[in-house]
Amino acid sequence: MTLQQLKYVIEVARSRSISKAAPNLFISQPSLSNALKELEKELGITIFYRTNKGILITPEGSEFLGYARQVVEQAELLENRYSNAPDLKQQHFSVSAQHYAFAVSAFVRLLEDYNRDEYEFTLRETKTYEIIDDVKNLRSEIGILYVNDFNQQVISKFIREGNLTFHKLFDATPHVFISSTNPLVNREYVTLSDLLPYPYLSYEQGDYNSFYFSEEILSTLSRPKNIRVTDRATMFNLLIGLNGYTISTGVISRKLNGDIVAVPLKVDETITVGYITHKNVTNSPLAEIYIHYLKESIEEERKLL
């Protein structure tokens, strides 16, 4: 087993396709396929299932990838530490998150701090189930989501089965996000009955559109006006254009979302926001920096509540 073979496995897992990974590795597709088969034969495991639509990572392959990433990252650290040549390697980092402005703020700070000519970073604002699946299958190092009394048992089961760990960032009381021109904007707090005349906006969850995977608490309540969206820009445009509302933590970037205001919601609920990581993977230096900026962004925004 060689360091190059480990890099092959990591790139194929990232690309989800041998044919797509081959040009990125400057190797022919047959040669890459043979290299992977030789490695699997040497180790006595199956890392990838080959299908007509691409490859799937096996459970033992997922575990192997965790160790492979650690070895490659440590090798790169050694090369950077003891080489006088400039670091021209393309760097990869990926985060999957629910639709939180502080996750974007931290991502912006990471990029501002990252002084490289080349990089490939990914920030996926996506569905709750996909966040867990991304980290489980090593498409992302970090996943950001919330738990509360209602969904904790179900979410914790998926986290546990994915061999993941949940790290608490903060507890929050529920707030509604509304437009700065909404008639409720100057209230000390709002109640659920206050919100009845206004459209309720929530994030669509696809095949896992269960109450337990909802990005918003109180998902089981019946509301007369409901709109589901898939992205944060549409959400905020509709909050402004239709005087709608959504329920979240109240932590919002004033710099990125100046026209949206957080008003406390009078309900007996608590939201615990955290990030998930894979148990078999040591955080990369970029992941550690991102987590630092994540905590920093949250602390700054919470002071403004």
Side-chain angles (χ1 to χ4, degrees):
M1 179 169 50
T2 66
L3 188 62
Q4 189 63 56
Q5 286 175 312
L6 298 184
K7 292 180 179 178
Y8 287 170
V9 171
I10 292 169
E11 180 59 30
V12 170
R14 190 188 70 83
S15 301
R16 314 297 290 182
S17 165
I18 294 176
S19 61
K20 291 180 181 178
N24 295 337
L25 294 165
F26 304 101
I27 185 175
S28 69
Q29 181 178 337
S31 297
L32 177 57
S33 182
N34 289 334
L36 293 175
K37 289 178 181 178
E38 289 175 5
L39 179 61
E40 289 176 321
K41 183 178 180 180
E42 177 186 346
L43 298 174
I45 64 172
T46 300
I47 301 173
F48 300 115
Y49 291 129
R50 282 76 168 172
T51 72
N52 292 334
K53 296 183 179 180
I55 59 97
L56 298 174
I57 304 171
T58 68
E60 56 191 355
S62 179
E63 182 178 7
F64 176 77
L65 269 164
Y67 290 112
R69 287 183 184 276
Q70 292 182 58
V71 171
V72 171
E73 287 166 1
Q74 292 299 317
E76 289 178 349
L77 287 174
L78 282 172
E79 290 176 5
N80 294 338
R81 173 66 180 83
Y82 294 105
S83 172
N84 293 324
D87 179 17
L88 298 179
K89 295 183 179 64
Q90 187 176 37
Q91 301 294 316
H92 301 281
F93 178 66
S94 181
V95 176
S96 295
Q98 290 177 331
H99 299 76
Y100 296 125
F102 56 79
V104 180
S105 297
F107 200 77
V108 170
R109 294 183 184 192
L110 175 66
L111 283 166
E112 289 174 343
D113 193 48
Y114 191 73
N115 187 21
R116 296 289 193 279
D117 292 329
E118 296 184 19
Y119 54 78
E120 185 173 327
F121 286 10
T122 303
L123 174 58
R124 299 187 68 221
E125 287 190 328
T126 188
K127 303 173 181 66
T128 302
Y129 176 82
E130 291 181 1
I131 294 167
I132 299 171
D133 194 59
D134 282 349
V135 181
K136 172 186 174 182
N137 290 302
L138 307 176
R139 288 188 290 271
S140 290
E141 276 197 72
I142 305 292
I144 303 170
L145 44 71
Y146 87 91
V147 295
N148 68 346
D149 289 341
F150 175 73
N151 73 2
Q152 186 165 20
Q153 187 172 355
V154 172
I155 298 297
S156 295
K157 174 179 178 290
F158 277 83
I159 289 174
R160 184 173 59 254
E161 291 176 350
N163 204 22
L164 310 175
T165 303
F166 180 85
H167 310 265
K168 175 180 170 181
L169 285 167
F170 66 98
D171 289 324
T173 54
H175 286 63
V176 293
F177 285 166
I178 56 177
S179 164
S180 59
T181 60
N182 189 292
L184 301 175
V185 73
N186 292 318
R187 296 281 190 93
E188 181 182 353
Y189 61 83
V190 296
T191 66
L192 291 172
S193 59
D194 291 332
L195 297 168
L196 285 176
Y198 301 94
Y200 170 66
L201 286 86
S202 60
Y203 287 107
E204 198 269 333
Q205 296 294 325
D207 293 338
Y208 289 84
N209 207 29
S210 151
F211 292 133
Y212 297 108
F213 286 95
S214 173
E215 192 166 327
E216 302 79 21
I217 66 166
L218 306 175
S219 57
T220 59
L221 295 182
S222 176
R223 297 173 174 88
K225 301 176 182 179
N226 292 276
I227 302 172
R228 288 199 178 106
V229 301
T230 58
D231 65 271
R232 192 153 50 91
T234 301
M235 169 76 77
F236 285 178
N237 285 339
L238 293 177
L239 291 183
I240 295 169
L242 298 177
N243 265 342
Y245 75 95
T246 191
I247 301 175
S248 190
T249 63
V251 181
I252 190 168
S253 171
R254 301 302 189 273
K255 183 186 297 185
L256 298 177
N257 309 112
D259 294 327
I260 304 299
V261 178
V263 178
L265 176 63
K266 192 174 183 180
V267 291
D268 187 20
E269 296 278 348
T270 300
I271 304 169
T272 299
V273 178
Y275 65 92
I276 55 175
T277 58
H278 202 291
K279 287 183 178 180
N280 293 338
V281 179
T282 301
N283 289 344
S284 70
L286 289 176
E288 290 292 348
I289 295 170
Y290 179 75
I291 293 167
H292 168 76
Y293 284 137
L294 196 59
K295 294 176 179 178
E296 195 175 80
S297 297
I298 292 167
E299 183 177 359
E300 290 177 4
E301 294 301 329
R302 294 191 79 194
K303 288 178 181 178
L304 300 175
L305 285 178

